[in-house]
Amino acid sequence: MTKRLPHGLAAASLALLLGGCLGLGGGKLPATLIALTATKVPAAGSGSSGTQDDALVVLEPEVDRKLAVLRVPVRVDGSSIAYLANAAWVERPARQFRGLLAETLRASGKRLVLEDDGTAPPAAHRLGGRLVDMGYDAADQAVVVRFEAVRSTRGGAVETRRFESVVPGVPAKPAAIAPALNRAANAVAADVAAWIG
């Protein structure tokens, strides 16, 4: 024999259960959730096609542990890292940067661009690398994005280049840091797209 909870009690129990599941650390949501949004995107209705020999696959960049979490790193000095209070990424920064980079490359309309999400076919051209920095420098009051890009072809040719964007004069507040991070990431993506051609 089963017992049924009164409707109001069941709803309250469900809310408590969900409250324990939602949140980042301790069940408390940060005041600011940061998402990267591409400023250059393909026009609605546009598309692209090509062969595997022409396609470019964008890989998720490698990161150090400071960027392998949903918290935003703050460089305190040359050897100390803290994390920005009351703010978090909505998704891992490396994955967000891969998506932003792919969208920026698609917007150029010069080639078929795919993201390596496990479903992309093998392609002759690959773009990956290492996301070195994507955070806030407290001493300089600046947002910094650094990306060590690596492009390779099936023939074995490999080329690297470091890209960087610094947005100075940013106060140490999530409301100011979030848009500056987006601006810096888009500047790096635009520079990478110009390099790829």
Side-chain angles (χ1 to χ4, degrees):
M1 180 182 222
T2 59
K3 292 185 178 180
R4 299 187 66 160
L5 293 173
H7 181 69
L9 185 57
S13 298
L14 180 60
L16 283 173
L17 286 171
L18 287 176
C21 295
L22 300 175
L24 302 170
K28 184 180 177 184
L29 284 172
T32 302
L33 292 173
I34 302 172
L36 297 179
T37 306
T39 54
K40 294 181 181 176
V41 296
S46 65
S48 58
S49 61
T51 66
Q52 290 183 2
D53 288 335
D54 297 327
L56 173 68
V57 171
V58 180
L59 310 173
E60 185 173 318
E62 296 178 9
V63 293
D64 292 335
R65 287 189 179 189
K66 70 178 181 184
L67 286 173
V69 295
L70 294 179
R71 300 169 73 189
V72 179
V74 175
R75 180 172 294 282
V76 178
D77 56 39
S79 60
S80 299
I81 298 287
Y83 287 99
L84 187 63
N86 300 317
W89 295 104
V90 296
E91 189 175 22
R92 290 193 325 267
R95 181 173 289 180
Q96 288 197 67
F97 185 73
R98 179 192 71 190
L100 183 146
L101 187 53
E103 277 292 276
T104 304
L105 287 161
R106 285 185 195 109
S108 72
K110 295 179 181 174
R111 67 172 73 209
L112 174 63
V113 178
L114 306 170
E115 292 181 56
D116 185 23
D117 57 2
T119 62
H125 304 276
R126 298 167 69 83
L127 174 64
R130 185 168 162 256
L131 190 56
V132 180
D133 277 312
M134 185 177 278
Y136 184 70
D137 188 313
D140 293 339
Q141 290 193 321
V143 158
V144 180
V145 175
R146 288 188 188 96
F147 177 54
E148 186 76 34
V150 179
R151 67 176 175 182
S152 59
T153 65
R154 191 173 289 152
V158 177
E159 187 177 358
T160 67
R161 184 171 293 183
R162 179 168 284 210
F163 297 90
E164 177 180 297
S165 178
V166 178
V167 179
V170 180
K173 297 179 181 177
I177 291 172
L181 281 167
N182 197 60
R183 226 170 26 250
N186 272 282
V188 168
D191 289 344
V192 174
W195 176 56
I196 293 294

